[in-house]
Every structure is written in structure tokens, then in C-alpha cells.
Amino acid sequence: MSATWQGGDEPQGFHPTGLDYLRIILRGFPLGLLVFGGLIILLLIRLIERPVFGSNRPITPRITQFVCRNAFRLLGISFKTTGQPMRQKGAVVANHAGWLDIFSLNARKRVYFVSKSEVAKWPGIGWLARATGTVFINRDRKEAHNQIEVFRERLAAGHKLLFFPEGTSSDSRRILPFKSTLFAAFFTPELRDFMWVQPVTLRYFAPEGRDPRFYGWWGDMEFAPHLLKTLAAPRQGQVEIVYHEPVKVSEFKGRKELAAHCEAAVREGLGDLNVER
């Protein structure tokens, strides 16, 4: 994501007091053990899994899924899904509200995120991304062919690649225009005839009495304060994932038509939470 959505005033900074610190410790310590303990186990298993299975990952995605499901339990956030994840080979496209999307989208279905190459260098997040099989892409056109080959290999191995067509995160209350350029690779001869795409809507419900954008993470908001605010909440809200009907890429004339269809489905899934309706 090279652009950053700046729409709307960002919530005031979080300044923990009193019981906030206790809740941060009681939730944050076990969450850290879960995430980094799971990462260590995943890396150890991957040492055996990689030479035996190559691109296929029959074991380690289960660890990622276990971690993400239980992260919501530790945070106290309710988790709900509607619809069925697709079984066909292909990609998932979803709206992007913030860092919680990583846990949300991995909790029900094993997916592999597609991210800009710079993320691989980020401390902490980069390690987690590489360990969980994230596909890193460089927007240099000279590397387009190699990236399509990587997509083909991963899709052929049964991986569900996850794209955020908005290009940046928002406040969780709206759907930003989908960038059709991200769909161009789906129409190459190597991918078009066998590839499916499933639109997915992420719906975040703020804790009672809090700003409706409570779980959104956008603009110049820093990660650490947002994480602490989430950990310190006396009451938590809910996240719901809506899986829409998957569509076959070959049924569309081109990337713009497919992008428009997916955007409409995701926007409709947001329902009455969408402030732009």
C-alpha cells in the first residue's frame, strides 16, 4: 500500500489510566505468548515442511488459524461468519479496516496475503508475514512476469491469495474504490481459465458507547497506541466476515468489470454500517 487514506478526523490519542493498564497486561501478555509462541512452533515445523512439501503447506497454516481464532478469545472480541469460503482455486478480495483484518481473515479460512515488498523489511510484522507465507510484490513492471509466475505456482498449490483492492485501510465504516490494476494479473493466459475470485466483507462493530470507528486503523495512526486501546477496552465489540459467492475470472470481459463486481458485493455486505450508503 503506497497511498494512505486520510478521510475523516482521527480519534483522539489513547492515554491509559488505572484499570486500563491491568487489562492491557491481562490480555496483552497471553496474546504475545500466543502469537510469538505460535510463530516459533510454525518456524520449527516449516524447517521440515518446506523440503518435504515445497510450496504446499499442509501443517503450518493450521497453526496460523489456531493462533488467529484464539487471539479473538483472548481479546474478548466476538467472532462471527456468514456464508461459505470458496473451495475453488483462486483469490480472495476484501475491504481493509486495519491490523485486525489479519486475524479476522485467517481465523476461518487459510489465506495467504499479497503485500508490497516493503512490508517484508518491517520489524516484527515483516517476520510474521514471511513466516505465514505472505506473497510480496514489487510494483516494478519489469518484474510483472515473475510475479505472475509466483501467483500461478501458489494458486496451483491450492493457496488462496488475499488482496486488498482498496490499496489502503479505512475507518471500517466505508468501502474505498477498488483499484482495478490489482485485478490485471488474473486475466493473464496463465491464470484466467482456472481462477476464481471471492469477494469478502469485513464488518466491525465497536464496543457499546464507543466511536463506531473504534477498530479502524488508518491515516497517520500509530500501531502501538491503537493496539493498547484495543487491549484496554472494558467491553469489546464484534467482527463479522461475510463470504460472498465466488465468480470465475473468465466470465468477465476484463479487470475493470471484475473489480466493479467485487466492489459492489463487498459494499453491499457492509450494509447499514456503510456511512456512504
Side-chain angles (χ1 to χ4, degrees):
M1 297 181 297
S2 57
T4 300
W5 182 70
Q6 299 286 350
D9 296 330
E10 296 179 12
Q12 295 181 352
F14 174 65
H15 304 288
T17 60
L19 291 176
D20 290 339
Y21 290 105
L22 179 60
R23 285 189 289 267
I24 289 171
I25 294 172
L26 291 178
R27 288 173 175 159
F29 184 70
L31 180 64
L33 287 178
L34 174 68
V35 172
F36 291 102
L39 175 61
I40 292 172
I41 295 173
L42 185 150
L43 291 173
L44 291 174
I45 293 178
R46 188 62 184 149
L47 291 175
I48 301 174
E49 188 183 54
R50 182 190 296 275
V52 175
F53 297 101
S55 297
N56 292 312
R57 293 174 175 242
I59 303 172
T60 50
R62 298 178 185 274
I63 299 172
T64 302
Q65 198 169 16
F66 173 85
V67 168
C68 293
R69 283 179 176 175
N70 285 281
F72 284 114
R73 294 189 176 98
L74 294 177
L75 287 169
I77 299 175
S78 299
F79 180 78
K80 177 183 177 182
T81 63
T82 302
Q84 295 296 324
M86 72 175 184
R87 296 183 178 276
Q88 300 93 332
K89 292 182 179 181
V92 176
V93 295
N95 56 307
H96 193 14
W99 59 271
L100 274 173
D101 297 348
I102 298 172
F103 292 99
S104 301
L105 291 162
N106 272 308
R108 172 72 191 278
K109 181 67 177 178
R110 299 167 204 161
V111 294
Y112 298 87
F113 291 85
V114 177
S115 179
K116 63 180 183 179
S117 57
E118 291 90 336
V119 174
K121 302 176 183 178
W122 292 359
I125 295 178
W127 304 332
L128 288 170
R130 287 195 298 270
T132 53
T134 296
V135 179
F136 297 105
I137 59 174
N138 191 323
R139 298 187 185 279
D140 188 342
R141 291 186 177 182
K142 296 179 180 179
E143 298 185 21
H145 178 76
N146 292 334
Q147 290 169 3
I148 291 172
E149 182 59 27
V150 171
F151 290 165
R152 188 201 63 77
E153 179 184 351
R154 297 290 290 270
L155 291 167
H159 295 185
K160 300 295 188 297
L161 300 181
L162 190 287
F163 294 80
F164 290 121
E166 293 167 296
T168 187
S169 59
S170 73
D171 59 6
S172 79
R173 303 280 292 174
R174 70 194 71 230
I175 305 298
L176 303 177
F178 279 19
K179 299 180 184 298
S180 64
T181 53
L182 296 174
F183 292 81
F186 303 165
F187 286 88
T188 60
E190 299 91 337
L191 302 179
R192 178 176 180 175
D193 291 336
F194 76 89
M195 186 169 179
W196 292 69
V197 176
Q198 182 171 40
V200 172
T201 303
L202 292 165
R203 293 163 50 91
Y204 288 95
F205 299 85
E208 185 177 355
R210 294 299 188 98
D211 188 320
R213 307 169 300 169
F214 184 82
Y215 293 117
W217 182 53
W218 77 96
D220 296 323
M221 297 170 65
E222 296 182 1
F223 171 70
H226 193 278
L227 171 62
L228 294 178
K229 180 187 73 170
T230 304
L231 292 171
R235 294 181 180 179
Q236 293 285 9
Q238 176 179 289
V239 57
E240 178 184 5
I241 300 182
V242 181
Y243 292 98
H244 303 284
E245 285 296 320
V247 293
K248 194 170 184 180
V249 171
S250 60
E251 295 176 352
F252 293 83
K253 294 181 179 179
R255 58 183 175 86
K256 292 184 178 180
E257 290 78 9
L258 179 56
H261 171 86
C262 292
E263 180 182 336
V266 173
R267 190 180 298 277
E268 183 65 24
L270 199 59
D272 56 4
L273 295 183
N274 191 349
V275 298
E276 296 181 333
R277 285 177 65 91

